Amino acid sequence: MDAMELKESQQAARDFVPEVEAFLGALPITREKFSIRVNRCDGTEGEQRDDIYHIWVGLRGVAPGNDVAAILDGLHARWRDAGWTITRYRRLDNGGVNLAATDPATGNGYTLDSGFEPAPDAYVVGFFNTPCYQSPSGKVDFGEIDSRTAGIGLVR
């Protein structure tokens, strides 16, 4: 395993969240919930350590045009054509789509799932995460990040 990049968690969030924001800003999805967390990563031997983490962003949203499957199908084609590693792409019986991929340039993971009741054509959840980092100062504060105190400007 390659050595993890050293980066403070707040800086990692300030670097990653604008990337997710730009990605989401290009999609016709209205946000219902958006959250940012610092989560644990396993060490090289599978151990849990207080200085290894990744940034996780969660989204719950709605495609106002009731066309979330078409949106995700379009993303799949774009990511595939751009050389991303598609880790999951499947259609559900109710018309929903599950899509996950890794950006080869950054190692960041993007996951979007649809097909949820009561509006399988509209509801979407997304999970976005960075690769694992190691905190150069040691122990990381895990959990939800308040974007205002972290200096992360969010688009609403």
Side-chain angles (χ1 to χ4, degrees):
M1 179 175 178
D2 296 332
M4 288 179 213
E5 183 178 340
L6 294 174
K7 190 181 281 196
E8 294 294 344
S9 60
Q10 297 293 314
Q11 185 60 52
R14 284 191 294 273
D15 292 345
F16 182 54
V17 171
E19 223 177 274
V20 175
E21 287 280 352
F23 167 73
L24 293 174
L27 299 179
I29 293 174
T30 303
R31 295 178 201 185
E32 289 187 342
K33 183 171 180 166
F34 187 86
S35 58
I36 308 161
R37 295 184 55 84
V38 179
N39 288 340
R40 287 188 188 277
C41 282
D42 289 339
T44 57
E45 304 297 318
E47 78 277 14
Q48 293 285 303
R49 293 181 14 195
D50 289 339
D51 65 334
I52 300 175
Y53 69 93
H54 72 272
I55 303 299
W56 176 94
V57 176
L59 163 78
R60 184 177 68 219
V62 175
N66 292 324
D67 59 349
V68 72
I71 293 167
L72 297 184
D73 284 338
L75 275 174
H76 173 256
R78 283 201 319 253
W79 288 346
R80 182 194 63 226
D81 293 349
W84 286 37
T85 302
I86 306 297
T87 56
R88 184 176 69 209
Y89 180 59
R90 68 177 170 226
R91 287 197 149 282
L92 307 177
D93 291 341
N94 69 358
V97 173
N98 295 156
L99 175 63
T102 303
D103 179 350
T106 63
N108 295 330
Y110 289 67
T111 300
L112 293 153
D113 294 328
S114 68
F116 300 100
E117 294 298 336
D121 295 334
Y123 282 114
V124 63
V125 295
F127 306 100
F128 313 94
N129 59 280
T130 66
C132 295
Y133 294 109
Q134 184 174 11
S135 173
S137 62
K139 188 173 184 206
V140 173
D141 289 329
F142 296 102
E144 189 137 4
I145 294 177
D146 183 333
S147 60
R148 294 165 298 191
T149 59
I152 301 168
L154 297 179
V155 178
R156 294 284 176 196

